[in-house]
Amino acid sequence: RDRHAAFFLELVHRLEARLAPHLPSGPQVLDQLAVEYPNIRAALTWQRQIRNVSDLLGLGGELIWFWQLRGDLREGQAWLEWGLAQDGEGTAAARASGQFGLSGILERQDEFASAMTLCEAALRYYRTHGDAVMIARAAEHAASMSLEIGRDDLTQGYIDEAHAALAAMDDAPWIRRATNYLHVFRAALALYHGDLPEAKRQ
């Protein structure tokens, strides 16, 4: 069961599941996760039974988009909340992954304040450790939520942070897609301030 769980943790990493919305192969990634989900659920169950909090949060954090787009939000929330509730257990990296994953789920449930708190906690970790991929993902997520909760004063900073992180990485199809997606937030911010020409330009 340890080997089984390790295999599926490696699988979601290899598929880059946490980047699914920006991957050209994103729909195929989600299809494969749907097929393998009984195995993934078994892996999560085993990790909880043996209190392997790091791997549970690491696996659960990778599934953020699967749970949002194809799976059961409440199930994802339950796994991640259990892992994050185990104070003092699990690595800091795993906790950040779990925080980011749970933040995305709570945002979809309109629990924006809690989602923002979790996202900012994860973002602090990624900044400290120079994880450009996750700085870009978490800052993009924070930009979206700051607009939702009326904190447009924060949105531009998050957009710029995400853009800078993406610009520092080697070129790849998902990076170009993610960079283009930031224009959506720039347009929304311009609309929020009544600047229709800038919104149209973005």
Side-chain angles (χ1 to χ4, degrees):
R1 294 184 74 176
D2 285 338
R3 291 194 299 273
H4 176 272
F7 175 87
F8 286 98
L9 178 59
E10 192 278 331
L11 175 67
V12 296
H13 283 306
R14 179 160 41 85
L15 291 174
E16 296 184 293
R18 64 184 176 178
L19 302 175
H22 297 317
L23 293 173
S25 61
Q28 290 75 35
V29 168
L30 294 173
D31 287 344
Q32 186 170 353
L33 291 174
V35 169
E36 296 291 359
Y37 194 68
N39 280 307
I40 291 171
R41 182 187 284 122
L44 289 166
T45 300
W46 177 241
Q47 289 159 349
R48 183 170 61 187
Q49 286 177 4
I50 64 172
R51 300 188 68 83
N52 186 343
V53 175
S54 290
D55 282 357
L56 183 143
L57 289 174
L59 179 55
E62 289 280 346
L63 296 172
I64 173 177
W65 292 112
F66 174 76
W67 277 322
Q68 288 191 53
L69 299 174
R70 298 285 185 90
D72 185 328
L73 286 175
R74 294 292 183 185
E75 181 179 6
Q77 181 177 355
W79 287 116
L80 293 171
E81 285 183 340
W82 180 87
L84 292 171
Q86 310 312 303
D87 291 336
E89 298 188 43
T91 65
R95 290 192 66 80
S97 179
Q99 288 165 336
F100 180 64
L102 183 56
S103 175
I105 289 173
L106 293 179
E107 182 193 24
R108 288 292 296 271
Q109 296 171 333
D110 296 336
E111 297 182 32
F112 298 115
S114 297
M116 191 69 169
T117 298
L118 287 165
C119 184
E120 288 177 331
L123 186 52
R124 285 193 295 273
Y125 172 85
Y126 297 132
R127 287 168 179 156
T128 299
H129 291 81
D131 186 336
V133 171
M134 290 309 297
I135 289 172
R137 296 294 296 113
E140 175 193 306
H141 183 45
S144 172
M145 287 190 295
S146 63
L147 282 172
E148 292 283 359
I149 63 176
R151 291 300 310 274
D152 60 296
D153 55 310
L154 301 175
T155 305
Q156 188 63 59
Y158 287 130
I159 293 172
D160 291 343
E161 184 174 16
H163 191 273
L166 291 167
M169 288 183 269
D170 293 335
D171 192 32
W174 82 264
I175 293 173
R176 291 195 296 274
R177 288 169 177 240
T179 301
N180 288 335
Y181 193 59
L182 293 175
H183 291 295
V184 173
F185 296 122
R186 294 187 193 278
L189 185 60
L191 270 179
Y192 191 88
H193 291 288
D195 189 348
L196 184 58
E198 175 61 11
K200 291 175 68 176
R201 189 182 75 82
Q202 291 293 338

